[in-house]
Amino acid sequence: MEEEMEQVRRYFSSGRTREASWRKSQLHGLHRFIGDREDDIFRALLRDLGKSPVESYRDELGILKKDINAALDNLADWMSGKKIKLPLVSFPTTAELVSEPLGLVLIISSWNFPFGLSLEPLIGAIAAGNTVVLKTSELAPASSDLLADAIPTYLDSKAIKVIQGGPDVAQSLLHLKWDKIFFTGSKQVGRIVMAAAAEHLTPVTLELGGKCPAIVDSLPTWDFTRDILLKRLVSGKFGSCSGQACVGVDYIIVQENFAPTLINLLKGITEEMFGKNPKESHAMTRIINAHHYKRLKNLLKEDGVEASVVYGGSMDEDALFIEPTILVDPPINSDIMTDEIFGPLLPIITMKRIEDSIKFINSRPKALAVYCFSTNDKFMRRVATETSSGSLLFNDTILQYAAETVPFGGVGESGFGRYHGKFSFDTFSHEKAVLRRTSLPDFWFRYPPWNDYKLELFRLFYVFDYLGIILTVLGLKKPRPRSTNV
Amino acid sequence: MLFQSKSSSAALSSMAEERKISFDADDAALLVEELRGRFNLGRTKSYEWRVTQLKGISKMIDEREKEILEALQKDLSKPEIEAFLTEINLLSSSCKLAIKELKHWMMPKKVKTPLLTFPSSAEIVSEPLGVVLIISAWNFPLLLSLDPVIGAIAAGNAVVLKPSELAPATSSLLSNLLPKYVDNAAIRVIEGGVSEASALLVQKWDKILYTGGRQVGKIVMAAATEHLTPVVLELGGKCPTVVDSNVDLRVTARRIITGKWACNNGQACIGVDYIITTKDFAPKLIDALRREIEKFFGKDPIVSKDTSRIVNLSHFTRLTKLLNEDGISSKIVLGGQTDENNLKIAPTILLDVPEDSLLMTEEIFGPLLPIITVQRLEDCFNLIKSKPKPLAAYLFTKDRQLKKKFIDNVSAGGMLINDTALHFTVPTLPFGGVEESGMGSYHGKFSFEAFSHKKAVFHRFFLGDQSIRYPPYTPTKTKILKTLVSGDIFRIIRALVRCFKA
């Protein structure tokens, strides 16, 4: 493996991947892969997760295509660097920021959006001119196989490698020296990644998770718009990989007097979207594997939790299927309210006043997203200024993932670093400051031996006191006496 | 031991006293808890609080200039004007810039939203991270302590600053003075060495900014892993200076000297570490350097008061070891004198030391300047690339092609053509390293951003939803969804019409 990486590094050193033409050709290749092999991708996702093609396109393929197009459209602009303004006193010096690729980067992907979370960072890494090793998740084997198989035929295999395998392969990779590691996954593995990166002083981006709360303050009175919001809320839980999404709604907070209404509405909308028999609806994915199924089952089995189920709850171990399940006020210290759920179990927490939701959220680790459904401007402003999260979305869920103009990333325990759109390009680049000077003018007072006169000129230069400079140079202004002796 | 003599119990109680004075992990935990509590109550968030603190720091720098200069003189024998230029003035400007720009920096930035998410509006809001730790270095002990603090405060955080114990006078000054000028309830200075730093590093911080050496940088990042704390590491490296033969020799020599010996006597992370030039040009360059060094520092530079001393005996010993390595002393073409009593080493130039010598493998961080000669200047790239990426790289030339090749092929934190070290003073440029010279950057607005979280805030409106987003899923929905994602407005209108009809 080390030898293979050496080869890739040598290829990077040749400068091929820095050329705009190479980057464009790779992005086109990626686009072709998603287009040509769409059916294979749908099939792989169906096998790995039971994911419907509509969900697959909506959450993975469509977004990838959009982002590849955005990268192609903007690449020249991103690559061109930025001129930096300098104060007049530094004329004729010029300064600019030049974006350079970092070198050889490692992307570690996840299983819940195996194409999205593999290829989205890849778009950024390629656009920035790097060579890449992508380690796919072994928990989504069909997707991993397809990527390992197809990517070398659509992309430059000397520069972009797909490596499959489990924790032991990941460990071997992490021992090597990378110029950047981009990791999507859990907190625990995030720590392992960061610790390994520290050995080589490798910068990392960690896209982790957390418990993303959805505060439901008030809904519109008109049925039509109210139902739109409810659909967004319900779909943000059950409709995106059955809740196995880092930006999915984890739990809802609602004021206790509004709770019964909300619960009934949620039940209605859930049934409308997923039918009386959700397993047959093909609108939900299954749980990824037996381990996670058991984990979710255990969340429900805890004391006091099972009793709080008000909708759903039925599970099929053979099919690894759990139907949309709603709980009301499970014990606050139960695992379901402390661990990230990552499944189709939706606790609703009631509070005396909805404003208490802010304190509740702040008493917990910062999440990747906070959602808030409200028509009250004052409350929305409070949520915006008094809570912290990767991102904040009002009156919808998950959509920020699809907007390439906003940075996508966490804060606190939900991670650090960000990507999507230009943020992806920046994440895989080094912004090098370049300052160009000329021999003249050369300021004699820059150099020792030192005296008061030189000091005075510096004082004036730093505050851009041009008149003062002229007067001092002409001898019409005397240097200030200093507070100490030389 | 049940029976203790009076003297041993006295010794034990004085040991207990000492233990109380030092700062351990429990003390650190209490400190962080206290600061976090204040932060959570919103104490540091307001614009008014931030500006008040910044004004306090600015006032401290102005009013206490005398004490600051004395401390820098004690710690480093730093010439007063150098102290003004590289520490006091820079800090003062940094503070004033932050005060001037803060309102603008704090403003949310509206961003365009893609057609896919229409109708919606989005903005990027800057939030403070929380409680941040700044670990400073000894070579510019005031600047490297307070400049990050300025950024952290501007971004609305609570701050703990741990100055370097190797610059004890400055550390003590910061510890005594800062509380008098800023809100001590949210900004603290903790003095100490390795054990205090370790006690601090095991706590949960929302960001750590560390300036120092690579080894400790690794330790800091490893410690940050426990709490998944993001870090900015400002490390070092061997900053190469390539000198072409078509330059104005006098100006070039002066600027090199400024970037080496007038920059804390070579003890600077962006100082010129070594020079690469052609075999033919080297003698001319050495002559020019010799002439200008005499002009700057006199006939006997080792006694000049216009250079800092070596910070302490340990570094002095390290540097003399570099000079005493086998085969090195014969390469000295200028200087080489050392004075252990005064911790001074003369400006020393060496010609063509072996590539595997300590001088060429370790970061020098001192007044020794190796010049490596090559046949053709283009050969410099191989040498530079064989070493880890440095914090800065410098090139003196008039050749446009060479400038382009240098910028395109050499990776470094920052780069200067025809000068040295100046980029450090430009607040509109991000200052930071790459690869082994560090990660993250700061200065000016970049400081504000280093200590902020940029939160994407999205507002969606009620209408304009596409039922195709939700189950139950049908083949028609897939088709329409594909159209929407394409961003083509005509296709979208057609699709939506179809959708509403459905």
Side-chain angles (χ1 to χ4, degrees):
Chain A
M1 199 188 269
E2 277 189 41
E3 237 193 77
E4 207 182 344
M5 297 308 139
E6 264 314 304
Q7 269 181 0
V8 180
R9 274 200 190 278
R10 273 197 292 273
Y11 190 62
F12 176 77
S13 297
S14 76
R16 180 82 183 99
T17 64
R18 300 176 82 125
E19 294 163 22
S21 58
W22 181 87
R23 306 185 203 195
K24 283 208 177 106
S25 73
Q26 300 310 295
L27 292 171
H28 281 299
L30 210 50
H31 200 274
R32 266 196 323 272
F33 163 62
I34 297 171
D36 292 353
R37 308 293 291 265
E38 189 179 273
D39 285 338
D40 291 333
I41 296 174
F42 284 155
R43 252 195 300 272
L45 288 168
L46 201 63
R47 272 190 56 196
D48 282 335
L49 287 151
K51 200 179 274 202
S52 132
V54 183
E55 203 184 311
S56 301
Y57 198 87
R58 182 196 69 192
D59 293 349
E60 300 198 56
L61 302 188
I63 295 180
L64 285 170
K65 275 191 157 165
K66 165 181 76 70
D67 288 345
I68 294 170
N69 288 335
L72 283 165
D73 285 342
N74 292 299
L75 190 63
D77 185 43
W78 294 350
M79 280 177 74
S80 65
K82 213 173 9 177
K83 286 248 171 299
I84 299 289
K85 257 172 82 166
L86 293 177
L88 193 60
V89 79
S90 33
F91 182 82
T93 307
T94 59
E96 56 174 340
L97 288 180
V98 171
S99 284
E100 326 183 297
L102 293 167
L104 176 57
V105 306
L106 172 65
I107 296 171
I108 301 178
S109 173
S110 183
W111 50 261
N112 49 347
F113 299 88
F115 290 93
L117 298 175
S118 297
L119 302 180
E120 186 72 45
L122 185 61
I123 294 170
I126 289 174
N130 297 282
T131 48
V132 189
V133 168
L134 166 64
K135 185 194 132 359
T136 53
S137 172
E138 74 283 12
L139 299 188
S143 306
S144 175
D145 284 343
L146 178 56
L147 284 166
D149 212 42
I151 291 287
T153 62
Y154 285 87
L155 300 182
D156 183 352
S157 58
K158 290 194 285 298
I160 300 163
K161 307 247 179 231
V162 180
I163 295 189
Q164 297 182 274
D168 46 345
V169 170
Q171 283 284 41
S172 312
L173 286 170
L174 286 171
H175 279 310
L176 304 175
K177 182 173 149 85
W178 303 95
D179 295 300
K180 175 107 187 191
I181 300 177
F182 187 100
F183 170 78
T184 308
S186 70
K187 244 192 299 190
Q188 293 79 351
V189 183
R191 282 201 186 93
I192 297 172
V193 171
M194 191 172 168
E199 276 302 313
H200 298 286
L201 291 169
T202 300
V204 299
T205 292
L206 300 179
E207 296 271 332
L208 311 176
K211 290 179 78 59
C212 302
I215 307 171
V216 180
D217 167 41
S218 47
L219 295 171
T221 41
W222 184 23
D223 284 7
F224 179 66
T225 45
R226 182 201 64 196
D227 283 0
I228 287 175
L229 294 192
L230 287 169
K231 283 198 181 140
R232 294 173 179 178
L233 179 54
V234 169
S235 152
K237 176 68 174 187
F238 305 124
S240 201
C241 210
S242 288
Q244 300 166 103
C246 47
V247 273
V249 172
D250 189 279
Y251 64 101
I252 289 176
I253 306 178
V254 67
Q255 192 160 295
E256 55 186 18
N257 59 5
F258 186 50
T261 316
L262 180 65
I263 293 162
N264 277 335
L265 288 170
L266 289 175
K267 285 181 186 173
I269 293 283
T270 305
E271 193 174 302
E272 192 186 316
M273 288 167 80
F274 300 101
K276 282 203 183 326
N277 192 352
K279 199 160 48 164
E280 310 302 324
S281 70
H282 302 294
M284 283 180 76
T285 67
R286 59 160 197 275
I287 305 307
I288 184 71
N289 59 21
H291 164 76
H292 279 277
Y293 178 90
K294 281 203 181 67
R295 179 184 65 77
L296 288 162
K297 191 169 173 190
N298 288 337
L299 288 182
L300 278 188
K301 291 266 171 278
E302 203 179 340
D303 267 344
V305 178
E306 202 163 10
S308 67
V309 173
V310 300
Y311 181 90
S314 96
M315 306 180 148
D316 180 344
E317 188 157 354
D318 292 327
L320 289 178
F321 189 83
I322 299 177
E323 62 171 5
T325 302
I326 302 177
L327 310 90
V328 181
D329 285 326
I332 278 295
N333 296 322
S334 56
D335 287 342
I336 206 174
M337 281 312 295
T338 44
D339 299 345
E340 186 178 0
I341 296 170
F342 230 68
L345 314 176
L346 177 58
I348 297 179
I349 305 296
T350 63
M351 310 230 148
K352 279 224 156 6
R353 304 172 322 127
I354 196 64
E355 288 82 4
D356 298 338
S357 61
I358 293 177
K359 195 164 161 210
F360 185 81
I361 291 172
N362 287 339
S363 66
R364 282 139 183 274
K366 297 179 190 177
L368 197 49
V370 166
Y371 302 111
C372 179
F373 288 81
S374 177
T375 50
N376 179 339
D377 273 339
K378 197 158 153 225
F379 181 66
M380 289 198 280
R381 218 170 310 135
R382 274 198 69 189
V383 173
T385 51
E386 294 179 38
T387 67
S388 181
S389 54
S391 52
L392 169 61
L393 187 40
F394 288 108
N395 297 315
D396 207 328
T397 56
I398 303 184
L399 204 64
Q400 72 274 37
Y401 186 84
E404 76 278 2
T405 49
V406 296
F408 185 81
V411 65
E413 288 184 41
S414 52
F416 53 80
R418 57 211 190 150
Y419 71 131
H420 285 189
K422 177 153 205 271
F423 305 102
S424 290
F425 178 87
D426 290 340
T427 266
F428 289 103
S429 300
H430 165 55
E431 254 191 338
K432 183 170 72 181
V434 180
L435 203 64
R436 289 168 207 256
R437 297 262 293 148
T438 50
S439 302
L440 297 174
D442 192 39
F443 298 121
W444 74 98
F445 52 87
R446 263 182 80 183
Y447 315 113
W450 301 128
N451 57 44
D452 283 354
Y453 180 64
K454 290 182 178 178
L455 174 61
E456 183 64 24
L457 282 170
F458 268 112
R459 281 196 201 276
L460 296 165
F461 257 80
Y462 272 110
V463 296
F464 315 126
D465 182 352
Y466 300 111
L467 182 61
I469 294 169
I470 295 170
L471 292 176
T472 306
V473 168
L474 292 176
L476 297 173
K477 194 170 171 213
K478 277 203 161 35
R480 245 171 295 180
R482 270 187 297 135
S483 49
T484 61
N485 295 317
V486 170
Chain B
M1 284 204 299
L2 287 175
F3 303 101
Q4 292 176 17
S5 70
K6 262 195 183 160
S7 60
S8 67
S9 71
L12 279 172
S13 64
S14 83
M15 269 169 68
E17 277 295 318
E18 276 179 43
R19 245 181 275 127
K20 243 195 274 165
I21 293 167
S22 82
F23 181 82
D24 65 13
D26 288 336
D27 297 320
L30 278 171
L31 172 65
V32 175
E33 201 185 316
E34 191 192 323
L35 290 181
R36 190 156 280 127
R38 304 242 169 81
F39 173 79
N40 288 339
L41 289 172
R43 192 187 185 97
T44 61
K45 268 192 151 176
S46 72
Y47 170 78
E48 289 71 28
W49 181 89
R50 304 182 202 193
V51 167
T52 307
Q53 308 318 307
L54 294 172
K55 287 193 170 142
I57 294 179
S58 192
K59 196 165 166 219
M60 182 184 99
I61 298 169
D62 285 340
E63 285 180 2
R64 306 296 196 136
E65 197 178 85
K66 181 163 176 280
E67 285 134 288
I68 292 173
L69 288 172
E70 276 167 10
L72 290 170
Q73 177 63 224
K74 256 205 199 122
D75 282 335
L76 289 153
S77 303
K78 196 171 278 209
E80 288 194 3
I81 294 190
E82 208 186 298
F84 274 119
L85 289 182
T86 60
E87 300 214 47
I88 295 174
N89 277 347
L90 276 180
L91 268 176
S92 196
S93 317
S94 181
C95 236
K96 292 192 166 81
L97 179 74
I99 293 168
K100 179 162 166 260
E101 298 291 322
L102 188 59
K103 265 218 169 87
H104 178 64
W105 292 350
M106 280 174 76
M107 266 189 337
K109 187 172 137 202
K110 282 231 172 302
V111 289
K112 270 179 34 191
T113 53
L115 207 54
L116 183 68
T117 61
F118 178 83
S120 60
S121 74
E123 52 185 11
I124 300 177
V125 171
S126 294
E127 311 187 310
L129 292 167
V131 185
V132 306
L133 172 64
I134 292 165
I135 301 178
S136 171
W138 54 260
N139 53 343
F140 295 86
L142 192 77
L143 179 71
L144 299 176
S145 296
L146 292 183
D147 208 2
V149 170
I150 289 168
I153 290 173
N157 300 281
V159 190
V160 171
L161 165 65
K162 193 206 103 33
S164 172
E165 73 280 20
L166 299 188
T170 310
S171 174
S172 174
L173 176 116
L174 285 165
S175 177
N176 289 330
L177 288 189
L178 205 57
K180 300 194 169 100
Y181 288 87
V182 299
D183 181 2
N184 201 35
I187 303 166
R188 292 283 182 78
V189 180
I190 302 292
E191 289 194 82
V194 174
S195 64
E196 284 77 8
S198 308
L200 288 168
L201 283 170
V202 297
Q203 308 308 322
K204 179 176 155 74
W205 302 96
D206 297 294
K207 186 110 186 192
I208 300 175
L209 188 147
Y210 167 77
T211 308
R214 249 183 295 173
Q215 288 316 318
V216 181
K218 287 185 183 170
I219 295 170
V220 169
M221 189 169 169
T225 299
E226 183 52 40
H227 300 285
L228 293 168
T229 301
V231 300
V232 171
L233 301 177
E234 297 272 332
L235 311 175
K238 293 181 75 61
C239 302
T241 303
V242 178
V243 185
D244 198 353
S245 51
N246 57 15
V247 297
D248 179 326
L249 203 42
R250 189 160 147 263
V251 171
T252 300
R254 292 165 82 145
R255 289 176 182 181
I256 290 173
I257 295 170
T258 307
K260 180 72 170 183
W261 296 287
C263 205
N264 207 27
N265 210 6
Q267 300 165 106
C269 46
I270 48 163
V272 170
D273 187 281
Y274 66 103
I275 288 179
I276 308 176
T277 191
T278 54
K279 278 195 170 26
D280 290 336
F281 193 63
K284 293 202 189 85
L285 180 61
I286 293 169
D287 270 338
L289 286 168
R290 196 195 311 267
R291 268 198 310 272
E292 298 299 324
I293 285 172
E294 190 177 314
K295 280 206 194 121
F296 283 19
F297 306 117
K299 283 206 184 302
D300 194 11
I302 202 173
V303 302
S304 168
K305 288 223 182 319
D306 283 340
T307 57
S308 310
R309 66 159 199 271
I310 307 305
V311 67
N312 58 26
L313 188 60
S314 161
H315 278 275
F316 181 88
T317 309
R318 179 184 65 79
L319 287 163
T320 48
K321 193 164 146 227
L322 298 183
L323 276 181
N324 292 335
E325 201 185 359
D326 271 342
I328 296 298
S329 57
S330 57
K331 308 286 184 188
I332 297 176
V333 296
L334 181 77
Q337 302 93 336
T338 62
D339 174 0
E340 189 168 321
N341 286 335
N342 293 309
L343 291 177
K344 278 258 174 163
I345 297 176
T348 301
I349 301 178
L350 307 96
L351 186 59
D352 282 328
V353 298
E355 257 183 59
D356 58 356
S357 60
L358 290 171
L359 273 169
M360 283 311 292
T361 47
E362 293 182 4
E363 186 178 359
I364 296 171
F365 228 69
L368 316 175
L369 178 61
I371 298 182
I372 304 294
T373 61
V374 291
Q375 275 302 120
R376 306 169 318 129
L377 208 56
E378 284 72 22
D379 300 336
C380 72
F381 293 112
N382 285 333
L383 177 57
I384 296 174
K385 282 185 180 179
S386 72
K387 300 186 182 302
K389 297 179 187 178
L391 195 49
Y394 307 114
L395 169 67
F396 286 86
T397 186
K398 286 196 169 109
D399 181 344
R400 203 171 272 170
Q401 298 271 54
L402 187 62
K403 284 182 196 173
K404 183 168 190 312
K405 199 165 176 205
F406 195 74
I407 294 170
D408 289 345
N409 284 292
V410 175
S411 183
M415 208 166 241
L416 253 92
I417 311 288
N418 291 326
D419 214 327
T420 59
L422 268 188
H423 61 306
F424 188 81
T425 64
V426 179
T428 44
L429 287 172
F431 182 77
V434 63
E435 196 205 65
E436 287 185 42
S437 53
M439 56 182 81
S441 60
Y442 72 122
H443 281 191
K445 181 160 197 238
F446 303 97
S447 290
F448 177 85
E449 307 207 326
F451 290 105
S452 299
H453 166 55
K454 302 291 205 160
K455 183 166 78 177
V457 180
F458 226 98
H459 285 259
R460 280 275 279 160
F461 309 119
F462 305 144
L463 294 180
D465 223 10
Q466 308 94 29
S467 71
I468 52 158
R469 260 178 81 178
Y470 316 115
Y473 299 128
T474 63
T476 322
K477 282 192 180 183
T478 321
K479 256 195 241 148
I480 297 175
L481 196 56
K482 281 191 182 182
T483 319
L484 263 164
V485 164
S486 75
D488 178 335
I489 186 75
F490 294 112
R491 287 177 71 193
I492 291 174
I493 292 173
R494 259 184 275 144
L496 283 176
V497 164
R498 232 179 287 143
C499 183
F500 277 123
K501 275 198 187 146

